[in-house]
Amino acid sequence: TAGARSPSEQVRELAAIAPGATTGELLLKLLSALTAILGARRAYVTENFDPGMSRTIASWEEGKPGPVREYALSGTPCAAVMSHGVQIVDCELGRRYTLENTSIGYGCESFVGSPIVNRDGEKIGQVCVFGAEPLHDPETASALVSLAAVRVSAELEHREQQAALARSEAYSKAIVATAAEGIVTLDAQGRIESFNRAAEDMFGYDAEELIGKNVNVLIPEPYRSKHTGYVERYVATGEGTICGAGREVPARRKDGTEFPIYLAASEVQLDGEQCFAGIMRDISEQKAAEESRIAVERRFRAVFEQRHQLAGILGVDGRVLEANQKSLEFAGLERDAVLGLPFWEAPWWSHSSEMQ
């Protein structure tokens, strides 16, 4: 069980987990913390890899990391999570579902699962926790597992962004270093309740300076004025885009400087109170690297396309990869007519067998 700690203290404990050196380390930290806070037996982060099939990408079983497992979703509470969202089975799990002895939930009494949603709104996996005893506080358990799912989503999204950036930045000499995660929790009025160490480093504030203040202090103008009362209106009407897929937003440090962050936010209910958790990543270096890549490409194009010389780029096999406009005009060619040809077969040379 969660013991004497309040739900907000449990959220802070989960939010205070520092990123690991790798994605796998962070996932294991989250699962270990979930099982400890909830008094659970097993916890998993899973991904879907075939229709109706799932595999664990991180496992915590009986107080230690578990092996990778693949299993069919059909007939398990995990299938309901993928179909209908957050699921809670507070007791008698074995009577509600027929679980084989090879199932990840075999022999357990309770279950809480929350889907992992990517930036396109697709359910790509889930965080699920199995308990040996009935749940004493299903609402808090659901909130904690949902918060963990949001953090896993942000971590997996960041991992995908890193891979895409490494592939696309062909002109760059280095891959953008991973920024530390900042985590902030807000009450229903948009006031800051917690602010972790990574967030302190990111924004230049001590947590004590921000606790109780409106989150607007972290937002630059003119966005700050537009944001005033936004959280309260969302709570009152449900209208807005506070929660859901992660996105890029502007932020403001204590010294007044502005910088871009990637923000993934989640709404949770604790003791009947609505609150929010946000995971932030400084993407300043990523943005600067992209701008630098674009600038390098523009400078290259300016030289390559100069009007006074014929220029081209060949592959190691001698095929034409690119030709500047001057060389195309000289021979009266369209670019598509020469790209991919061996250079000795291109019109500049093909008029003479001796030249070839």
Side-chain angles (χ1 to χ4, degrees):
T1 62
R5 289 170 296 175
S6 69
S8 61
E9 288 174 331
Q10 295 165 32
V11 169
R12 292 190 185 100
E13 179 178 342
L14 196 64
I17 296 174
T22 65
T23 296
E25 287 183 14
L26 174 60
L27 299 186
L28 287 177
K29 286 182 180 181
L30 285 172
L31 296 182
S32 173
L34 276 176
T35 56
I37 293 172
L38 299 176
R41 185 175 179 182
R42 304 169 193 153
Y44 303 93
V45 175
T46 74
E47 64 176 358
N48 304 328
F49 68 95
D50 271 332
M53 294 296 296
S54 190
R55 72 163 64 92
T56 61
I57 58 175
S59 306
W60 194 261
E61 301 177 341
E62 320 297 344
K64 61 183 179 181
V68 174
R69 300 182 185 276
E70 295 185 357
Y71 62 98
L73 289 169
S74 179
T76 72
C78 299
V81 173
M82 300 312 300
S83 299
H84 307 295
V86 177
Q87 296 291 308
I88 303 171
V89 180
D90 56 358
C91 63
E92 297 184 336
L93 178 65
R95 290 185 60 184
R96 303 188 195 188
Y97 293 90
T98 302
L99 301 175
E100 303 292 336
N101 58 7
T102 56
S103 167
I104 59 176
Y106 182 75
C108 292
E109 181 72 10
S110 57
F111 168 85
V112 183
S114 178
I116 300 168
V117 182
N118 65 15
R119 67 187 308 167
D120 297 321
E122 300 170 335
K123 296 173 184 175
I124 58 174
Q126 62 185 271
V127 176
C128 52
V129 178
F130 295 88
E133 300 178 359
L135 288 173
H136 294 280
D137 189 348
E139 183 179 339
T140 297
S142 173
L144 292 171
V145 174
S146 296
L147 175 59
V150 169
R151 189 160 185 190
V152 170
S153 177
E155 178 65 22
L156 296 179
E157 178 70 26
H158 174 62
R159 184 175 66 178
E160 291 180 7
Q161 286 184 331
Q162 281 187 308
L165 183 64
R167 291 191 298 269
S168 66
E169 293 187 343
Y171 294 104
S172 298
K173 295 182 180 179
I175 298 173
V176 177
T178 303
E181 289 179 339
I183 300 175
V184 59
T185 58
L186 312 176
D187 65 13
Q189 286 72 49
R191 294 179 299 227
I192 297 172
E193 290 189 328
S194 67
F195 204 68
N196 74 344
R197 173 64 65 180
E200 290 180 327
D201 294 340
M202 190 181 301
F203 286 89
Y205 286 98
D206 289 331
E208 291 75 14
E209 298 178 83
L210 293 176
I211 302 302
K213 291 187 177 181
N214 195 283
V215 71
N216 286 353
V217 71
L218 305 178
I219 303 172
E221 291 290 4
Y223 310 98
R224 180 186 302 182
S225 300
K226 296 178 182 179
H227 192 272
T228 300
Y230 189 66
V231 174
E232 292 178 80
R233 286 196 298 274
Y234 176 83
V235 171
T237 66
E239 297 178 355
T241 56
I242 292 177
C243 303
R247 60 195 183 278
E248 179 184 332
V249 296
R252 180 181 182 274
R253 297 187 181 92
K254 182 179 179 180
D255 63 9
T257 57
E258 298 180 16
F259 66 108
I261 62 172
Y262 181 81
L263 172 67
S266 174
E267 177 185 353
V268 293
Q269 293 280 346
L270 297 174
D271 288 342
E273 295 183 2
Q274 199 169 16
C275 60
F276 303 89
I279 300 172
M280 305 168 292
R281 193 181 301 276
D282 184 345
I283 58 173
S284 300
E285 293 184 16
Q286 179 179 330
K287 297 280 285 184
E290 177 64 14
E291 291 169 3
S292 175
R293 183 191 68 79
I294 293 172
V296 168
E297 184 172 342
R298 286 175 178 169
R299 287 195 295 270
F300 165 76
R301 277 290 170 190
V303 173
F304 187 69
E305 295 291 355
Q306 61 178 294
R307 303 286 296 178
H308 304 297
Q309 66 179 16
L310 310 184
I313 299 175
L314 304 181
V316 294
D317 59 355
R319 293 183 180 274
V320 180
L321 301 180
E322 185 59 280
N324 73 349
Q325 190 61 34
K326 183 65 175 178
S327 63
L328 296 173
E329 292 173 356
F330 176 80
L333 300 170
E334 295 293 333
R335 180 172 274 100
D336 291 344
V338 295
L339 297 189
L341 288 178
F343 78 89
W344 55 87
E345 294 180 8
W348 300 291
W349 310 97
S350 61
H351 66 278
S352 168
S353 58
E354 180 181 355
M355 186 72 75
Q356 288 182 316

